mmCIF file with all atom_site columns, all heavy atoms in Angstrom:
data_model
loop_
_atom_site.group_PDB
_atom_site.id
_atom_site.type_symbol
_atom_site.label_atom_id
_atom_site.label_alt_id
_atom_site.label_comp_id
_atom_site.label_asym_id
_atom_site.label_entity_id
_atom_site.label_seq_id
_atom_site.pdbx_PDB_ins_code
_atom_site.Cartn_x
_atom_site.Cartn_y
_atom_site.Cartn_z
_atom_site.occupancy
_atom_site.B_iso_or_equiv
_atom_site.pdbx_formal_charge
_atom_site.auth_seq_id
_atom_site.auth_comp_id
_atom_site.auth_asym_id
_atom_site.auth_atom_id
_atom_site.pdbx_PDB_model_num
ATOM 1   N N   . VAL T 1 496 ? -7.069  10.955 -17.907 1.00 94.00 ? 496 VAL T N   1
ATOM 2   C CA  . VAL T 1 496 ? -6.527  11.682 -16.741 1.00 94.00 ? 496 VAL T CA  1
ATOM 3   C C   . VAL T 1 496 ? -6.879  10.926 -15.460 1.00 94.00 ? 496 VAL T C   1
ATOM 4   O O   . VAL T 1 496 ? -6.064  10.920 -14.544 1.00 94.00 ? 496 VAL T O   1
ATOM 5   C CB  . VAL T 1 496 ? -6.966  13.162 -16.642 1.00 94.00 ? 496 VAL T CB  1
ATOM 6   C CG1 . VAL T 1 496 ? -6.441  13.970 -17.824 1.00 94.00 ? 496 VAL T CG1 1
ATOM 7   C CG2 . VAL T 1 496 ? -8.496  13.296 -16.501 1.00 94.00 ? 496 VAL T CG2 1
ATOM 8   N N   . ALA T 1 497 ? -8.045  10.251 -15.496 1.00 90.00 ? 497 ALA T N   1
ATOM 9   C CA  . ALA T 1 497 ? -8.446  9.521  -14.240 1.00 90.00 ? 497 ALA T CA  1
ATOM 10  C C   . ALA T 1 497 ? -7.583  8.267  -14.127 1.00 90.00 ? 497 ALA T C   1
ATOM 11  O O   . ALA T 1 497 ? -7.094  7.955  -13.009 1.00 90.00 ? 497 ALA T O   1
ATOM 12  C CB  . ALA T 1 497 ? -9.945  9.146  -14.347 1.00 90.00 ? 497 ALA T CB  1
ATOM 13  N N   . GLU T 1 498 ? -7.450  7.536  -15.206 1.00 92.00 ? 498 GLU T N   1
ATOM 14  C CA  . GLU T 1 498 ? -6.778  6.202  -15.131 1.00 92.00 ? 498 GLU T CA  1
ATOM 15  C C   . GLU T 1 498 ? -5.265  6.316  -15.093 1.00 92.00 ? 498 GLU T C   1
ATOM 16  O O   . GLU T 1 498 ? -4.544  5.425  -14.667 1.00 92.00 ? 498 GLU T O   1
ATOM 17  C CB  . GLU T 1 498 ? -7.226  5.393  -16.351 1.00 92.00 ? 498 GLU T CB  1
ATOM 18  C CG  . GLU T 1 498 ? -6.906  3.919  -16.331 1.00 92.00 ? 498 GLU T CG  1
ATOM 19  C CD  . GLU T 1 498 ? -7.539  3.138  -15.197 1.00 92.00 ? 498 GLU T CD  1
ATOM 20  O OE1 . GLU T 1 498 ? -8.255  3.740  -14.365 1.00 92.00 ? 498 GLU T OE1 1
ATOM 21  O OE2 . GLU T 1 498 ? -7.240  1.990  -15.124 1.00 92.00 ? 498 GLU T OE2 1
ATOM 22  N N   . ARG T 1 499 ? -4.696  7.490  -15.511 1.00 94.00 ? 499 ARG T N   1
ATOM 23  C CA  . ARG T 1 499 ? -3.250  7.689  -15.525 1.00 94.00 ? 499 ARG T CA  1
ATOM 24  C C   . ARG T 1 499 ? -2.724  7.639  -14.099 1.00 94.00 ? 499 ARG T C   1
ATOM 25  O O   . ARG T 1 499 ? -1.555  7.417  -13.844 1.00 94.00 ? 499 ARG T O   1
ATOM 26  C CB  . ARG T 1 499 ? -2.964  9.057  -16.169 1.00 94.00 ? 499 ARG T CB  1
ATOM 27  C CG  . ARG T 1 499 ? -1.475  9.257  -16.489 1.00 94.00 ? 499 ARG T CG  1
ATOM 28  C CD  . ARG T 1 499 ? -1.212  10.581 -17.185 1.00 94.00 ? 499 ARG T CD  1
ATOM 29  N NE  . ARG T 1 499 ? 0.199   10.838 -17.073 1.00 94.00 ? 499 ARG T NE  1
ATOM 30  C CZ  . ARG T 1 499 ? 1.051   10.846 -18.074 1.00 94.00 ? 499 ARG T CZ  1
ATOM 31  N NH1 . ARG T 1 499 ? 0.657   10.515 -19.257 1.00 94.00 ? 499 ARG T NH1 1
ATOM 32  N NH2 . ARG T 1 499 ? 2.340   11.109 -17.895 1.00 94.00 ? 499 ARG T NH2 1
ATOM 33  N N   . ARG T 1 500 ? -3.605  7.885  -13.096 1.00 90.00 ? 500 ARG T N   1
ATOM 34  C CA  . ARG T 1 500 ? -3.204  7.843  -11.705 1.00 90.00 ? 500 ARG T CA  1
ATOM 35  C C   . ARG T 1 500 ? -2.523  6.593  -11.319 1.00 90.00 ? 500 ARG T C   1
ATOM 36  O O   . ARG T 1 500 ? -1.686  6.514  -10.403 1.00 90.00 ? 500 ARG T O   1
ATOM 37  C CB  . ARG T 1 500 ? -4.438  7.986  -10.816 1.00 90.00 ? 500 ARG T CB  1
ATOM 38  C CG  . ARG T 1 500 ? -4.851  9.423  -10.542 1.00 90.00 ? 500 ARG T CG  1
ATOM 39  C CD  . ARG T 1 500 ? -5.902  9.442  -9.438  1.00 90.00 ? 500 ARG T CD  1
ATOM 40  N NE  . ARG T 1 500 ? -7.121  8.850  -9.805  1.00 90.00 ? 500 ARG T NE  1
ATOM 41  C CZ  . ARG T 1 500 ? -8.301  9.508  -9.882  1.00 90.00 ? 500 ARG T CZ  1
ATOM 42  N NH1 . ARG T 1 500 ? -8.380  10.762 -9.586  1.00 90.00 ? 500 ARG T NH1 1
ATOM 43  N NH2 . ARG T 1 500 ? -9.402  8.885  -10.214 1.00 90.00 ? 500 ARG T NH2 1
ATOM 44  N N   . LYS T 1 501 ? -2.934  5.433  -11.953 1.00 89.00 ? 501 LYS T N   1
ATOM 45  C CA  . LYS T 1 501 ? -2.402  4.174  -11.516 1.00 89.00 ? 501 LYS T CA  1
ATOM 46  C C   . LYS T 1 501 ? -0.898  4.021  -11.741 1.00 89.00 ? 501 LYS T C   1
ATOM 47  O O   . LYS T 1 501 ? -0.272  3.160  -11.152 1.00 89.00 ? 501 LYS T O   1
ATOM 48  C CB  . LYS T 1 501 ? -3.170  2.990  -12.180 1.00 89.00 ? 501 LYS T CB  1
ATOM 49  C CG  . LYS T 1 501 ? -2.797  2.823  -13.677 1.00 89.00 ? 501 LYS T CG  1
ATOM 50  C CD  . LYS T 1 501 ? -3.586  1.674  -14.270 1.00 89.00 ? 501 LYS T CD  1
ATOM 51  C CE  . LYS T 1 501 ? -3.222  1.476  -15.723 1.00 89.00 ? 501 LYS T CE  1
ATOM 52  N NZ  . LYS T 1 501 ? -4.158  0.554  -16.362 1.00 89.00 ? 501 LYS T NZ  1
ATOM 53  N N   . PHE T 1 502 ? -0.317  4.931  -12.548 1.00 93.00 ? 502 PHE T N   1
ATOM 54  C CA  . PHE T 1 502 ? 1.139   4.815  -12.796 1.00 93.00 ? 502 PHE T CA  1
ATOM 55  C C   . PHE T 1 502 ? 1.925   5.579  -11.786 1.00 93.00 ? 502 PHE T C   1
ATOM 56  O O   . PHE T 1 502 ? 3.083   5.861  -11.941 1.00 93.00 ? 502 PHE T O   1
ATOM 57  C CB  . PHE T 1 502 ? 1.468   5.329  -14.204 1.00 93.00 ? 502 PHE T CB  1
ATOM 58  C CG  . PHE T 1 502 ? 0.872   4.485  -15.298 1.00 93.00 ? 502 PHE T CG  1
ATOM 59  C CD1 . PHE T 1 502 ? -0.298  4.886  -15.903 1.00 93.00 ? 502 PHE T CD1 1
ATOM 60  C CD2 . PHE T 1 502 ? 1.408   3.282  -15.614 1.00 93.00 ? 502 PHE T CD2 1
ATOM 61  C CE1 . PHE T 1 502 ? -0.862  4.104  -16.933 1.00 93.00 ? 502 PHE T CE1 1
ATOM 62  C CE2 . PHE T 1 502 ? 0.846   2.439  -16.620 1.00 93.00 ? 502 PHE T CE2 1
ATOM 63  C CZ  . PHE T 1 502 ? -0.311  2.858  -17.250 1.00 93.00 ? 502 PHE T CZ  1
ATOM 64  N N   . GLY T 1 503 ? 1.272   5.982  -10.651 1.00 90.00 ? 503 GLY T N   1
ATOM 65  C CA  . GLY T 1 503 ? 1.967   6.624  -9.540  1.00 90.00 ? 503 GLY T CA  1
ATOM 66  C C   . GLY T 1 503 ? 2.573   7.959  -9.996  1.00 90.00 ? 503 GLY T C   1
ATOM 67  O O   . GLY T 1 503 ? 1.977   8.683  -10.792 1.00 90.00 ? 503 GLY T O   1
ATOM 68  N N   . ALA T 1 504 ? 3.823   8.261  -9.558  1.00 92.00 ? 504 ALA T N   1
ATOM 69  C CA  . ALA T 1 504 ? 4.438   9.545  -9.866  1.00 92.00 ? 504 ALA T CA  1
ATOM 70  C C   . ALA T 1 504 ? 4.712   9.740  -11.300 1.00 92.00 ? 504 ALA T C   1
ATOM 71  O O   . ALA T 1 504 ? 4.794   10.892 -11.805 1.00 92.00 ? 504 ALA T O   1
ATOM 72  C CB  . ALA T 1 504 ? 5.693   9.726  -9.057  1.00 92.00 ? 504 ALA T CB  1
ATOM 73  N N   . GLN T 1 505 ? 4.820   8.660  -12.079 1.00 93.00 ? 505 GLN T N   1
ATOM 74  C CA  . GLN T 1 505 ? 5.029   8.800  -13.511 1.00 93.00 ? 505 GLN T CA  1
ATOM 75  C C   . GLN T 1 505 ? 3.725   9.193  -14.146 1.00 93.00 ? 505 GLN T C   1
ATOM 76  O O   . GLN T 1 505 ? 3.712   9.680  -15.291 1.00 93.00 ? 505 GLN T O   1
ATOM 77  C CB  . GLN T 1 505 ? 5.544   7.478  -14.055 1.00 93.00 ? 505 GLN T CB  1
ATOM 78  C CG  . GLN T 1 505 ? 6.849   7.704  -14.798 1.00 93.00 ? 505 GLN T CG  1
ATOM 79  C CD  . GLN T 1 505 ? 7.392   6.436  -15.470 1.00 93.00 ? 505 GLN T CD  1
ATOM 80  O OE1 . GLN T 1 505 ? 7.491   5.389  -14.798 1.00 93.00 ? 505 GLN T OE1 1
ATOM 81  N NE2 . GLN T 1 505 ? 7.765   6.554  -16.694 1.00 93.00 ? 505 GLN T NE2 1
ATOM 82  N N   . GLY T 1 506 ? 2.590   8.917  -13.511 1.00 94.00 ? 506 GLY T N   1
ATOM 83  C CA  . GLY T 1 506 ? 1.307   9.341  -14.059 1.00 94.00 ? 506 GLY T CA  1
ATOM 84  C C   . GLY T 1 506 ? 1.072   10.786 -13.805 1.00 94.00 ? 506 GLY T C   1
ATOM 85  O O   . GLY T 1 506 ? 1.051   11.629 -14.647 1.00 94.00 ? 506 GLY T O   1
ATOM 86  N N   . TRP T 1 507 ? 0.970   11.141 -12.470 1.00 95.00 ? 507 TRP T N   1
ATOM 87  C CA  . TRP T 1 507 ? 0.812   12.515 -12.029 1.00 95.00 ? 507 TRP T CA  1
ATOM 88  C C   . TRP T 1 507 ? 1.773   12.728 -10.883 1.00 95.00 ? 507 TRP T C   1
ATOM 89  O O   . TRP T 1 507 ? 1.950   11.837 -10.052 1.00 95.00 ? 507 TRP T O   1
ATOM 90  C CB  . TRP T 1 507 ? -0.621  12.834 -11.540 1.00 95.00 ? 507 TRP T CB  1
ATOM 91  C CG  . TRP T 1 507 ? -1.641  12.727 -12.614 1.00 95.00 ? 507 TRP T CG  1
ATOM 92  C CD1 . TRP T 1 507 ? -2.505  11.665 -12.846 1.00 95.00 ? 507 TRP T CD1 1
ATOM 93  C CD2 . TRP T 1 507 ? -2.010  13.710 -13.561 1.00 95.00 ? 507 TRP T CD2 1
ATOM 94  N NE1 . TRP T 1 507 ? -3.361  11.952 -13.863 1.00 95.00 ? 507 TRP T NE1 1
ATOM 95  C CE2 . TRP T 1 507 ? -3.088  13.251 -14.356 1.00 95.00 ? 507 TRP T CE2 1
ATOM 96  C CE3 . TRP T 1 507 ? -1.535  15.009 -13.832 1.00 95.00 ? 507 TRP T CE3 1
ATOM 97  C CZ2 . TRP T 1 507 ? -3.677  13.957 -15.371 1.00 95.00 ? 507 TRP T CZ2 1
ATOM 98  C CZ3 . TRP T 1 507 ? -2.112  15.766 -14.866 1.00 95.00 ? 507 TRP T CZ3 1
ATOM 99  C CH2 . TRP T 1 507 ? -3.172  15.226 -15.626 1.00 95.00 ? 507 TRP T CH2 1
ATOM 100 N N   . ASN T 1 508 ? 2.342   13.911 -10.791 1.00 94.00 ? 508 ASN T N   1
ATOM 101 C CA  . ASN T 1 508 ? 3.214   14.220 -9.642  1.00 94.00 ? 508 ASN T CA  1
ATOM 102 C C   . ASN T 1 508 ? 2.444   14.149 -8.361  1.00 94.00 ? 508 ASN T C   1
ATOM 103 O O   . ASN T 1 508 ? 2.976   13.735 -7.346  1.00 94.00 ? 508 ASN T O   1
ATOM 104 C CB  . ASN T 1 508 ? 3.798   15.652 -9.785  1.00 94.00 ? 508 ASN T CB  1
ATOM 105 C CG  . ASN T 1 508 ? 5.055   15.620 -10.651 1.00 94.00 ? 508 ASN T CG  1
ATOM 106 O OD1 . ASN T 1 508 ? 5.662   14.604 -10.873 1.00 94.00 ? 508 ASN T OD1 1
ATOM 107 N ND2 . ASN T 1 508 ? 5.464   16.795 -11.094 1.00 94.00 ? 508 ASN T ND2 1
ATOM 108 N N   . ARG T 1 509 ? 1.225   14.576 -8.375  1.00 92.00 ? 509 ARG T N   1
ATOM 109 C CA  . ARG T 1 509 ? 0.345   14.477 -7.211  1.00 92.00 ? 509 ARG T CA  1
ATOM 110 C C   . ARG T 1 509 ? -0.982  13.884 -7.647  1.00 92.00 ? 509 ARG T C   1
ATOM 111 O O   . ARG T 1 509 ? -1.313  13.913 -8.850  1.00 92.00 ? 509 ARG T O   1
ATOM 112 C CB  . ARG T 1 509 ? 0.114   15.870 -6.609  1.00 92.00 ? 509 ARG T CB  1
ATOM 113 C CG  . ARG T 1 509 ? 1.406   16.536 -6.133  1.00 92.00 ? 509 ARG T CG  1
ATOM 114 C CD  . ARG T 1 509 ? 1.210   18.047 -5.868  1.00 92.00 ? 509 ARG T CD  1
ATOM 115 N NE  . ARG T 1 509 ? 2.497   18.706 -5.808  1.00 92.00 ? 509 ARG T NE  1
ATOM 116 C CZ  . ARG T 1 509 ? 3.260   18.896 -4.695  1.00 92.00 ? 509 ARG T CZ  1
ATOM 117 N NH1 . ARG T 1 509 ? 2.812   18.446 -3.595  1.00 92.00 ? 509 ARG T NH1 1
ATOM 118 N NH2 . ARG T 1 509 ? 4.403   19.553 -4.784  1.00 92.00 ? 509 ARG T NH2 1
ATOM 119 N N   . SER T 1 510 ? -1.735  13.355 -6.673  1.00 87.00 ? 510 SER T N   1
ATOM 120 C CA  . SER T 1 510 ? -2.999  12.723 -7.046  1.00 87.00 ? 510 SER T CA  1
ATOM 121 C C   . SER T 1 510 ? -4.164  13.712 -7.002  1.00 87.00 ? 510 SER T C   1
ATOM 122 O O   . SER T 1 510 ? -4.229  14.521 -6.056  1.00 87.00 ? 510 SER T O   1
ATOM 123 C CB  . SER T 1 510 ? -3.260  11.549 -6.074  1.00 87.00 ? 510 SER T CB  1
ATOM 124 O OG  . SER T 1 510 ? -4.378  10.900 -6.462  1.00 87.00 ? 510 SER T OG  1
ATOM 125 N N   . TYR T 1 511 ? -4.994  13.756 -8.021  1.00 88.00 ? 511 TYR T N   1
ATOM 126 C CA  . TYR T 1 511 ? -6.082  14.720 -8.088  1.00 88.00 ? 511 TYR T CA  1
ATOM 127 C C   . TYR T 1 511 ? -7.481  14.055 -8.114  1.00 88.00 ? 511 TYR T C   1
ATOM 128 O O   . TYR T 1 511 ? -7.621  13.058 -8.753  1.00 88.00 ? 511 TYR T O   1
ATOM 129 C CB  . TYR T 1 511 ? -5.907  15.627 -9.299  1.00 88.00 ? 511 TYR T CB  1
ATOM 130 C CG  . TYR T 1 511 ? -4.596  16.349 -9.331  1.00 88.00 ? 511 TYR T CG  1
ATOM 131 C CD1 . TYR T 1 511 ? -3.597  15.996 -10.277 1.00 88.00 ? 511 TYR T CD1 1
ATOM 132 C CD2 . TYR T 1 511 ? -4.276  17.343 -8.368  1.00 88.00 ? 511 TYR T CD2 1
ATOM 133 C CE1 . TYR T 1 511 ? -2.362  16.640 -10.260 1.00 88.00 ? 511 TYR T CE1 1
ATOM 134 C CE2 . TYR T 1 511 ? -3.072  17.945 -8.401  1.00 88.00 ? 511 TYR T CE2 1
ATOM 135 C CZ  . TYR T 1 511 ? -2.091  17.596 -9.309  1.00 88.00 ? 511 TYR T CZ  1
ATOM 136 O OH  . TYR T 1 511 ? -0.855  18.193 -9.297  1.00 88.00 ? 511 TYR T OH  1
ATOM 137 N N   . PRO T 1 512 ? -8.444  14.726 -7.488  1.00 83.00 ? 512 PRO T N   1
ATOM 138 C CA  . PRO T 1 512 ? -9.791  14.103 -7.457  1.00 83.00 ? 512 PRO T CA  1
ATOM 139 C C   . PRO T 1 512 ? -10.625 14.498 -8.730  1.00 83.00 ? 512 PRO T C   1
ATOM 140 O O   . PRO T 1 512 ? -11.682 15.084 -8.573  1.00 83.00 ? 512 PRO T O   1
ATOM 141 C CB  . PRO T 1 512 ? -10.403 14.713 -6.204  1.00 83.00 ? 512 PRO T CB  1
ATOM 142 C CG  . PRO T 1 512 ? -9.785  16.028 -6.117  1.00 83.00 ? 512 PRO T CG  1
ATOM 143 C CD  . PRO T 1 512 ? -8.410  15.920 -6.700  1.00 83.00 ? 512 PRO T CD  1
#
Side-chain angles (χ1 to χ4, degrees):
V496 297
E498 192 62 0
R499 192 179 162 109
R500 274 192 293 243
K501 73 179 179 192
F502 295 102
Q505 237 183 309
W507 295 100
N508 274 344
R509 298 166 197 269
S510 186
Y511 303 110

